[in-house]
Amino acid sequence: MVNYSLVKSAADERGDRQLAREAQWLRELAQVRELDGQVPRLLDEGINGEGRRFLVMSVAQGTGETRAFTPGHERFLASLGKARFRSIDFEVSGCCEQLNQSLLELEGCVSPKVLATLRAAYHDCETALLYWTGPYVLSQGDFAPWNIRTLGSQLFVYDWGKARTEASPLDDVLHYVMIQRALHGRTVTAAFLQSAMKRAYDFALLAYPEWTWRAPVIGALTLVYLLGALLHHSVPARRLDRADPLVKSYWNLIEKRSAWMPSHH
């Protein structure tokens, strides 16, 4: 296995902030023994001649991407989730706070009708998760084939600039399964979403067996993922860009959630 290093430089202020976050996460992940050899090591960081932040990190040269969600992916996410998690109620989680903050930031940028739909979807999450206490965990933030290399039975996962704490425990699984289809502009049907939810449910049982994973909880956490991903794309742009394949797919699923969300009654 040949190891080599990668230099990342920021192009603007937003890039500076993202690289600062990535450096912070790489320092923290270096302390997690279960992830040893599966995340980059931070080798150097600083400010370049243009006054922009740069990072130098180790990268393992694996055998390339795989599109399938394998037991290796499950093991990695289970270890990552346990590295930093809190068992709390949805309404006091960082995940809930982030959704609320993003909805506030969209006020005045999108039509009242769009905002009302997003707020109603958020309310559905809150209602379904009202009596459920569960694990909220560390998420990589863009767990997708293009950020992962396979090293035998292990993964090597890079690009930690979007990592966040107190995320839904299903976010990274759903993202991995759905983002490939959404970005290729292929329709994400209710049936496809339900198969992704089944995959997320199997993962939750395996990684967090001590919690209850009833269908309404899985449905609500799936809606939490869709809303989070849509808002993550829309807030920086200050609009809902329906020409963006991800936004178009996820908006459609949020709007038609009665077709796939299990009832919580």
Side-chain angles (χ1 to χ4, degrees):
M1 186 174 76
V2 181
N3 284 339
Y4 63 103
S5 60
L6 170 76
V7 181
K8 271 189 174 186
S9 305
D12 52 26
E13 258 178 70
R14 196 174 162 207
D16 282 337
R17 284 195 300 275
Q18 200 147 318
L19 286 190
R21 282 184 64 182
E22 182 155 20
Q24 190 185 333
W25 277 118
L26 291 179
R27 281 192 290 271
E28 189 161 324
L29 292 165
Q31 312 303 314
V32 182
R33 211 178 63 245
E34 293 81 2
L35 297 176
D36 194 32
Q38 297 191 78
V39 293
R41 281 194 326 282
L42 185 60
L43 304 175
D44 194 14
E45 60 179 314
I47 306 296
N48 65 20
E50 283 83 56
R52 290 285 164 224
R53 187 177 278 277
F54 74 86
L55 303 181
V56 183
M57 61 191 83
S58 68
V59 179
Q61 198 160 18
T63 54
E65 294 179 15
T66 170
R67 301 271 170 216
F69 187 76
T70 68
H73 293 74
E74 287 190 322
R75 277 195 303 275
F76 181 87
L77 289 181
S79 298
L80 180 66
K82 289 181 182 72
R84 185 106 175 249
F85 87 94
R86 283 179 75 196
S87 181
I88 41 173
D89 295 338
F90 176 66
E91 65 264 27
V92 292
S93 69
C95 160
C96 174
E97 197 183 310
Q98 202 167 21
L99 288 177
N100 258 319
Q101 184 56 41
S102 298
L103 286 167
L104 279 174
E105 286 178 45
L106 270 193
E107 277 181 11
C109 305
V110 295
S111 75
K113 188 168 179 260
V114 164
L115 197 61
T117 301
L118 294 172
R119 285 201 178 283
Y122 168 78
H123 179 70
D124 287 352
C125 299
E126 219 173 19
T127 308
L129 295 170
L130 193 56
Y131 300 110
W132 183 76
T133 300
Y136 289 87
V137 304
L138 170 55
S139 159
Q140 191 267 353
D142 190 14
F143 194 70
W146 42 90
N147 289 329
I148 300 166
R149 290 285 172 271
T150 319
L151 303 170
S153 65
Q154 278 197 329
L155 303 184
F156 188 85
V157 181
Y158 46 96
D159 212 350
W160 290 85
K162 294 184 180 122
R164 62 194 190 284
T165 53
E166 291 188 29
S168 153
L170 307 188
D171 269 10
D172 283 343
V173 185
L174 290 167
H175 188 73
Y176 189 90
V177 175
M178 292 180 62
I179 194 73
Q180 303 178 59
R181 192 178 181 101
L183 287 184
H184 287 121
R186 289 160 64 203
T187 310
V188 182
T189 59
F192 181 83
L193 180 58
Q194 281 163 336
S195 72
M197 285 160 70
K198 171 75 172 77
R199 177 55 56 90
Y201 169 72
D202 291 343
F203 167 74
L205 283 185
L206 180 95
Y208 308 103
E210 54 273 53
W211 282 272
T212 53
W213 299 102
R214 298 187 320 279
V217 168
I218 299 291
L221 291 174
T222 300
L223 188 54
V224 162
Y225 162 68
L226 293 170
L227 265 176
L230 181 85
L231 291 167
H232 178 78
H233 268 66
S234 305
V235 169
R238 303 192 67 72
R239 68 197 185 100
L240 200 76
D241 179 9
R242 313 255 179 113
D244 179 305
L246 180 141
V247 171
K248 185 183 168 187
S249 281
Y250 286 17
W251 170 255
N252 193 33
L253 290 166
I254 290 166
E255 221 179 8
K256 300 190 168 79
R257 59 194 178 280
S258 60
W260 57 265
M261 265 188 96
S263 163
H264 54 265
H265 298 305

